[in-house]
Amino acid sequence: MEVDEAVNYFCSAKSRQKFRGNTELISALECIEHTALNKGLSPEHISSLVDVAAAGIQVETVCKRIIKSLIPQTYVKEEAALKCISWICTRNPSINIQCLLLRWIIVIYDYIDTRTNLHGMYGVLFHFLHYRVMMPYICHLLYLFTRKEDVRLFRVRFLLQYQKDMGPQPFLTGLLSIYRYYYPSLVHVVNTRSYKSFFPTYDKKWSSVIQQVREKIGVSPTIDVTFEKALLERLGTSSNYVDLMPSKKRRKLDPIPVLHSLTTKSSYKRDTMAHTLGLQTIPFVLIQSFKGLLDHLDNVEYPSQIGAVLRSDPLKHFMSFTKDQIACARFQFWISKTLQEALVNSLKPNHKQRVTSLLKSTKLFSDFLQEGIPAVDIEIFDYLHTWNGIQYSPLILQLISRSRIYPFPVLYDRVLEPLRKLFFSSSVYGKCKIIMCFTDLLRNYAANEWPRNQEKQDEDTSLCLFKQDKEDFDGSDVIKNIVKFVCKICLTGLVIEKHNGNALFEMCVLDFLDLVSNMHKEYNIPFVVMADSRLMETLLISCNILTVNRVCTVLCRYKENFDLLRAAERNGQLKNSGIQRETSRLIKLCNSLVVDFCNSLWRLRAFTSTDKHSLFYQDISDLDKENMNARRKDNESLSLFCHPAFLPFTLKYIEKNDFDPRINIEELRPLKRDFLHVLERHHFTGLSQFVSTFVRRESESSTSKSQMFGFSPTSTHVSSMSTSRMT
Amino acid sequence: MTDRTVRTPANVTYPDRSHGSALRTFAMGTPFRTPDRRRFGPLGSSWRTPGRSEVLKRIDNQRIRTSTPRSRYTSKTAEEVLTEHTEVEQHNIKELVGKVWHVFNLTPLYNFKENKSDLQHYSRTLSSHIAAECKRGVFVDTSEPGDATVALFSGLDVAADDHKAVLIEIRGKARNKNEDKVISQAVLFSTDLEYNPLKAEIKEEFTYFACMLIRGPESVSQTLQNWIEVQFDCKVVKQTFTSHELAFMAAMFTGFSEVHKPLELVYKVPKEIEGLSHIDYSTNASDCVRLWNKIRGTDSEIFTTEEANKFITGLESHFFEIYSIKLNAMQLLTIGTSIAFVGQDGRLKVHAKSPENVLKVCRHLTDVSVDRLTVC
């Protein structure tokens, strides 16, 4: 028999029919059951069969069996559920059938296509709570689709009253817990149970049968993930922390609060009024993802404890979008006290985990906003004065590098001075970490804080979330002073650490110099800061070839930046004449460095008696005039071939080309460029870059080898340095 | 015995801020306080009337700190009339006396409304919260708490910036007894704030209570703190006093010239010394007052660290002469004066006989709390 025929048979039956022995009826019933278990029933069939079952025309067992076999193939039409409810209203079917219908709705709740009209039935369903037999099922159903506007004061009162009379029942507590999720101020019940214990699944078998059938067909489990479903998931998973008030132990264990709805009394009144106007406010509890935030952007309200922003990414987006100063103030008060407590009072070892996670979440928030939070800055700077340099050190250093820009004296007192003390009292690895912290700090200032400092006050489009009363100070001053300071301590550090672990430290210093040299080009800072020349010269005479290589690249980069700066000045982009004079002075400095480098590496004349400021200055009167040979040897000692960094490669080169091991440097001179190629093949390209930038190839016409070097910015202020010497 | 101007007690871990350090002179954090100077109103001066607070509202370091403003002296005669408190206030102030309180710091409370219906709402919420905690079995050994009430508490707000104090009372039944009595109380107040630390644009939403005193069983106190934190989005931090601050308070409270209890200083002996754990040093109160008067010649408003140091080093050098024990190398644990008993872990018991002195204690606590608040 076909399903359609069977359904038609039942639909057309107008009067009660005998069950026993009625083969037609039984076969129709069995057909329906069989189809349902194999393929599920189509929506139309389900709708009509609901009518049949609830109408009460047939015998009760028949109705029961029909309802049990209402397994949806694809989805269930909303009108089927509505019909169920309306049949229950008529009180026509027996109470068992009514309960069964309710259970059926709960079981197929996920498969109903739309629920808009169903929400309208809320009041009707609530009315049925009076009937005690149906109460658990009604509570479960209401739990599934309560929305914020369904929470009304009279309903809450009714439930509380009932609970007081009859004692706490799990299903009532469950429904109240949903109410409390929306309005904590209305409902004051505590619950320590989770969703599963509220509504024990009494129809597990039924729902599993349905799932099996659907899997057999190959349909996806649910139609769509709606708001309520998100709520259920959230309530279901967070088992212990649904409760509003944390216990004392939990407060100590995890100082970051959990998201909760607002606890103010007025929110209920406001929402009832708003609802009549058609508005809707969503408590942040229900926003699970960024998409959810976007959907309800106009309606979301902040949670009761703003510290929860450290836990929730959508809330971070929301806070930075709305730029609400009240929320920012709340957050800053909270974070300053929490950090004070955590950093200053953390004496016991098991606090470490907590404090680390707190610092980590703060850092994540700061990185998300790409700005320093003033309250956090204050607390960290205070902590620095008593910090031992080891505890939480990566996080503290990262938070420092995220800090805001302050006038240099303040910055020096609060940050640079304590870090300097730690620098000189720690091992080489500690020194490297601190130099990296300074590099990050400078990068942060150049990239983020410089624009913030430059923008005018009271502008509407401000770049930061946490507004600070701005003082008028010059950011360029800070940047220059920081560079000077760091260069100084790097130099001292290099001298101290001459023997142990030098290479790593030099790499960190060179990272810093890379950043400094490139600031104009990368971050559009309208000036160039020149690093300390002594530092560069010290790096030149190091024993590590990587260092020498990189320091040459740094010089090349400086040239690039100076060129760009000069071009910008010529184009009229930078109007500051002070900068121009400063730039000229710096270019002179840079030039002298270039001359030194060239002299020592390329021209084999390391020591000069003319430039008093250079590292390689040798007073003529001190020299032994007789011993020209020794002098020449000295001059050659830093050359490309004899430099301690390049020596291994020189030896290899000699070996490879089968030269006499005792070969004279003079004979190797013509092979300089070839040697450079060898180095290039080993990926030490800095030197070749330097040579190609600064050393001009000898002209073919002249017989004497004349070499010209130095670079001249094409302006009238600085004279070009070009000398030609007889070699 | 050297005359040390800086106290460095042995085991202090908290950075000692009260040395007028550079930390405070920059306009980050609470901008304008240098905490080595405290307001001090001895001998019948300076309860400000509402009219005069205009002078002090101007955040002007120099005028407040180094010289007494003229206006204080001119209306000195009018002071006595205006410093009478009403009976209710007197009663309220007396409530603070004689009980052991724990002191807490608060950040500003968000969304605290003070009209009657809101206060009732808070009471109900707190009661149900306590009931919930009861059910969870938090209060096992102590008495079962019942209802809570949140109410305004007048008498402690003096300056124009102060908010009316709030009293939270939790009643309950002791085990095996039937009568209902108050088992825990909490007072939130800020007395005589010199300036409101909140910025103008956020002032409406926040209420600032500098200080909170709680008495009662520890579990009830924890429950109350939890509730306040969640309800008003603030943070409650236990207030601890360093040795330096305790010494300062000892000196200052002596100056209030009540002599019904001796001055008692309890020092903690370092662990390396065996057999001795505390040193209890009591001095007759009237002798202390005499020492005090010698140190403070003038009748000025301000009371500085140097004067406090002189006082304490006077007492300590006297002890040294007798016993050859250097007290300033040890940590000061508690002080007990005729005005109040203060412990390092934040315990406080007020003994003062006159309401003025109680208010002065409150004002000092407010000052200490405001210093610890960072405002950006």
Side-chain angles (χ1 to χ4, degrees), chain A residues 494-524:
Chain A
L494 277 175
V495 171
I496 296 176
E497 295 291 341
K498 223 176 351 173
H499 300 295
N500 19 325
N502 213 0
L504 183 61
F505 186 64
E506 285 175 359
M507 286 298 119
C508 295
V509 173
L510 281 165
D511 279 336
F512 180 75
L513 287 178
D514 278 343
L515 173 66
V516 172
S517 55
N518 226 4
M519 269 203 306
H520 172 67
K521 186 165 157 219
E522 264 186 50
Y523 301 109
N524 280 327

Side-chain angles (χ1 to χ4, degrees), chain B residues 70-348:
Chain B
R70 242 183 217 197
S71 48
R72 291 194 197 193
Y73 280 177
T74 50
S75 20
K76 199 167 180 187
T77 49
E79 271 173 43
E80 278 78 8
V81 180
L82 298 157
T83 51
E84 276 177 21
H85 303 274
T86 63
E87 270 209 24
V88 175
E89 292 179 348
Q90 294 250 355
H91 169 73
N92 283 346
I93 295 176
K94 282 224 167 40
E95 282 275 309
L96 295 179
V97 177
K99 302 176 182 144
V100 177
W101 301 94
H102 286 268
V103 187
F104 292 89
N105 262 336
L106 291 177
T107 56
L109 302 185
Y110 174 62
N111 238 348
F112 176 78
K113 308 267 187 307
E114 54 190 16
N115 47 331
K116 204 142 184 273
S117 58
D118 279 307
L119 289 178
Q120 275 178 356
H121 171 66
Y122 297 145
S123 313
R124 261 182 285 127
T125 326
L126 182 55
S127 312
S128 56
H129 173 50
I130 292 176
E133 294 278 324
C134 258
K135 250 199 285 186
R136 232 207 289 213
V138 170
F139 312 114
V140 181
D141 292 331
T142 59
S143 36
E144 307 251 321
D147 285 326
T149 45
V150 178
L152 290 179
F153 188 66
S154 55
L156 287 180
D157 51 321
V158 176
D161 278 329
D162 292 348
H163 192 274
K164 249 190 165 47
V166 173
L167 171 70
I168 304 180
E169 270 188 351
I170 301 180
R171 317 186 90 85
K173 288 199 262 283
R175 269 179 188 261
N176 307 326
K177 295 205 189 133
N178 278 333
E179 79 266 6
D180 196 35
K181 63 182 180 100
V182 177
I183 53 171
S184 172
Q185 278 179 320
V187 183
L188 293 95
F189 65 90
S190 52
T191 304
D192 211 7
L193 275 179
E194 242 182 320
Y195 65 97
N196 197 340
L198 302 170
K199 288 195 283 202
E201 55 260 17
I202 57 174
K203 233 200 296 204
E204 289 88 42
E205 300 273 344
F206 287 95
T207 319
Y208 181 54
F209 293 109
C211 204
M212 172 158 80
L213 301 175
I214 304 188
R215 85 173 174 93
E218 175 67 21
S219 45
V220 181
S221 162
Q222 284 289 335
T223 314
L224 184 60
Q225 288 170 43
N226 279 347
W227 176 77
I228 290 184
E229 280 195 355
V230 178
Q231 182 75 21
F232 299 115
D233 198 12
C234 64
K235 187 119 178 94
V236 178
V237 173
K238 202 170 171 65
Q239 168 98 303
T240 51
F241 299 105
T242 63
S243 300
H244 180 91
E245 287 172 347
L246 287 176
F248 197 95
M249 276 196 268
M252 187 160 143
F253 292 164
T254 316
F256 296 157
S257 310
E258 288 197 17
V259 292
H260 53 98
K261 268 189 187 231
L263 173 68
E264 195 180 294
L265 303 167
V266 176
Y267 289 86
K268 179 169 168 195
V269 176
K271 333 193 254 295
E272 288 82 22
I273 300 176
E274 295 161 22
L276 193 62
S277 65
H278 295 112
I279 293 184
D280 210 331
Y281 177 19
S282 298
T283 318
N284 194 351
S286 40
D287 292 334
C288 292
V289 176
R290 266 192 315 163
L291 175 61
W292 166 263
N293 287 331
K294 289 264 173 17
I295 292 178
R296 267 180 74 86
T298 59
D299 211 9
S300 76
E301 284 290 316
I302 307 301
F303 173 59
T304 63
T305 322
E306 288 86 34
E307 292 171 344
N309 279 331
K310 275 196 210 154
F311 183 79
I312 289 291
T313 47
L315 290 175
E316 286 176 352
S317 51
H318 176 70
F319 194 82
F320 182 72
E321 279 171 20
I322 302 178
Y323 294 104
S324 304
I325 297 180
K326 288 195 184 174
L327 284 178
N328 58 357
M330 293 191 233
Q331 205 181 1
L332 190 52
L333 277 187
T334 68
I335 61 160
T337 63
S338 336
I339 302 288
F341 159 86
V342 187
Q344 188 198 42
D345 52 354
R347 279 175 301 151
L348 169 77

